[in-house]
């Protein structure tokens, strides 16, 4: 199955311990640290809208973009339930197309790791740059090289709940710097379980590769931190957060 098709149904359950309010607080702290007061935000790889809908409820004018129609269906339903006014668009970020320039663009929780080729990363960064207003901020994170190569890669994870279980088998390809994430999900359908499988590929980028690509795309005042903090990064940090300006 295509990545984030069947998985969409269980994504929010499996992410239930993620502090999305805290994540949105962190984004707002970055805005304050930069003395930046955005109104329009484009969130790419927005998934089921966990951040997008919260930003809208906090008063921003938000557009959410994702490649997976299934993830977007959940995002839209949740926006409706919450009364969050968000426009959702089904797009691949490598072909990002929006008709207005915005104050800030976000890509959170691994979106950039799904861009597997350096050339494609350049395409995405250039598109993001062109859609930002002058002085606009691009904020994104990556799962670190360390996390993908040493923690997730070559490990198997499994959890077993009453209505859903999963096995997550990973393999890290050193030569290509790609982590293959094989997910087998069992979801209860009445008395039986439906089993489906998805394979995701994430690229493990080194910090230098990201910094070079950002500079080549025209970004300036680039900072990067251990995610959710403003601390310098260490090799063993799992998530790195980048902030850069047009
Ligand atoms: C781990 S989820 C993160 C979702 C959301 N940002 C969150 O914090 O919960 C990664 C998302 O990236 C999306 N994605 C992967 N490749 C993409 C691409 N090329 N263009 C747009 N979205 C993409 C997937 O569909 C998925 O929804």
């Amino acid at each position: 199955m295509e990545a984030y098709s069947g998985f969409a149904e269980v994504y929010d359950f499996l992410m239930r311990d993620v502090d999305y309010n805290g994540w949105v607080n962190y984004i707002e702290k970055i805005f304050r640290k930069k003395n930046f007061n955005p109104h329009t935000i484009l969130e790419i790889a927005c998934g089921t809208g966990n951040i997008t809908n919260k930003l809208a409820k906090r008063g921003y004018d938000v557009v959410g973009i994702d490649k997976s129609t299934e993830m977007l269906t959940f995002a839209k339903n949740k926006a409706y339930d919450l009364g969050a006014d968000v426009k959702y668009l089904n797009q691949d970020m490598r072909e990002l197309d929006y008709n207005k320039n915005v104050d800030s663009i976000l890509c959170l929780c691994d979106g950039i790791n799904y861009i597997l080729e350096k050339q494609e990363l350049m395409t995405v960064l250039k598109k993001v740059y062109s859609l930002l207003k002058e002085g606009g901020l691009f904020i994104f994170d990556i799962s670190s090289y360390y996390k993908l190569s040493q923690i997730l890669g070559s490990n198997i994870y499994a959890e077993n709940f009453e209505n859903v279980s999963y096995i997550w088998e990973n393999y890290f390809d050193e030569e290509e710097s790609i982590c293959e994430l094989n997910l087998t999900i069992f979801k209860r359908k009445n008395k039986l379980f439906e089993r489906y499988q998805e394979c995701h590929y994430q690229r493990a980028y080194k910090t230098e590769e990201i910094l070079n690509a950002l500079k080549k795309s025209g970004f300036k005042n680039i900072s990067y931190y251990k995610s959710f903090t403003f601390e310098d990064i260490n090799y063993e940090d799992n998530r790195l957060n980048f902030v850069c300006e047009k």
Side-chain angles (χ1 to χ4, degrees), residues 104-141:
S104 184
I105 300 186
L106 311 176
C107 186
L108 304 167
C109 193
D110 296 357
I112 291 293
N113 295 104
Y114 281 91
I115 303 302
L116 303 182
E117 302 290 336
K118 279 194 197 164
Q119 213 34 56
E120 291 183 331
L121 177 65
M122 284 305 298
T123 306
V124 172
L125 293 180
K126 282 182 183 162
K127 283 184 185 289
V128 166
Y129 188 87
S130 71
L131 282 182
L132 278 173
K133 288 184 190 163
E134 214 50 52
L137 279 193
F138 179 39
I139 302 174
F140 66 98
D141 62 45

Side-chain angles (χ1 to χ4, degrees), residues 4 11 20 43 45-47 50-51 66-68 71 91-94 108-111 114-115:
Y4 292 100
Y11 182 81
Y20 279 109
E43 192 198 344
C46 66
N50 288 324
I51 291 169
D66 201 279
K67 191 178 153 195
S68 158
M71 294 291 270
Q91 283 184 16
D92 187 319
M93 67 174 102
R94 292 167 296 183
L108 304 167
C109 193
D110 296 357
Y114 281 91
I115 303 302

Side-chain angles (χ1 to χ4, degrees), residues 12-242:
D12 282 339
F13 176 70
L14 298 180
M15 297 294 273
R16 68 198 176 285
D17 292 332
V18 175
D19 177 10
Y20 279 109
N21 263 318
W23 211 322
V24 178
N25 292 342
Y26 179 56
I27 298 301
E28 289 196 309
K29 274 188 203 160
I30 296 172
F31 292 155
R32 285 196 293 273
K33 188 175 167 62
K34 300 286 283 182
N35 273 327
F36 186 64
N37 197 8
H39 296 292
T40 48
I41 298 180
L42 200 63
E43 192 198 344
I44 53 181
C46 66
T48 61
N50 288 324
I51 291 169
T52 341
N53 291 336
K54 285 186 173 45
L55 285 166
K57 289 298 284 182
R58 292 190 191 190
Y60 300 98
D61 184 353
V62 196
V63 175
I65 286 181
D66 201 279
K67 191 178 153 195
S68 158
T69 48
E70 291 85 351
M71 294 291 270
L72 288 177
T73 300
F74 285 94
K76 285 177 201 164
N77 288 342
K78 290 191 310 193
Y80 179 81
D81 290 345
L82 287 166
D85 186 11
V86 180
K87 182 173 176 183
Y88 282 105
L89 301 174
N90 183 210
Q91 283 184 16
D92 187 319
M93 67 174 102
R94 292 167 296 183
E95 282 143 34
L96 192 61
D97 181 24
Y98 191 57
N99 56 5
K100 273 188 248 163
N101 283 48
V102 294
D103 298 322
S104 184
I105 300 186
L106 311 176
C107 186
L108 304 167
C109 193
D110 296 357
I112 291 293
N113 295 104
Y114 281 91
I115 303 302
L116 303 182
E117 302 290 336
K118 279 194 197 164
Q119 213 34 56
E120 291 183 331
L121 177 65
M122 284 305 298
T123 306
V124 172
L125 293 180
K126 282 182 183 162
K127 283 184 185 289
V128 166
Y129 188 87
S130 71
L131 282 182
L132 278 173
K133 288 184 190 163
E134 214 50 52
L137 279 193
F138 179 39
I139 302 174
F140 66 98
D141 62 45
I142 53 166
S143 274
S144 66
Y145 190 92
Y146 172 77
K147 177 183 169 188
L148 292 174
S149 63
Q150 305 295 315
I151 302 183
L152 296 191
S154 317
N155 263 316
I156 300 178
Y157 302 88
E159 281 191 289
N160 196 9
F161 301 98
E162 196 179 337
N163 295 318
V164 55
S165 305
Y166 71 86
I167 306 167
W168 186 20
E169 299 165 281
N170 305 324
Y171 164 74
F172 187 69
D173 181 336
E174 291 275 351
E175 213 164 288
E176 303 288 331
S177 297
I178 302 277
C179 192
E180 183 179 317
L181 311 143
N182 288 293
L183 270 162
T184 305
I185 298 157
F186 300 86
K187 181 140 200 298
R188 185 185 286 283
K189 290 273 144 89
N190 303 315
K191 285 188 176 167
L192 299 175
F193 280 78
E194 195 173 69
R195 173 184 187 265
Y196 42 90
Q197 282 179 293
E198 286 187 10
C199 184
H200 297 201
Y201 295 95
Q202 290 197 355
R203 174 151 186 157
Y205 284 104
K206 300 229 166 99
T207 312
E208 280 309 314
E209 291 176 313
I210 297 279
L211 292 176
N212 287 339
L214 286 170
K215 282 178 202 152
K216 265 198 205 164
S217 314
F219 285 101
K220 58 184 187 201
N221 297 333
I222 303 166
S223 7
Y224 52 102
Y225 312 102
K226 171 182 178 163
S227 266
F228 312 115
T229 75
F230 293 106
E231 291 166 20
D232 289 345
I233 60 167
N234 287 306
Y235 176 68
E236 292 189 359
D237 291 334
N238 277 225
R239 186 169 296 288
L240 312 181
N241 196 86
F242 293 80

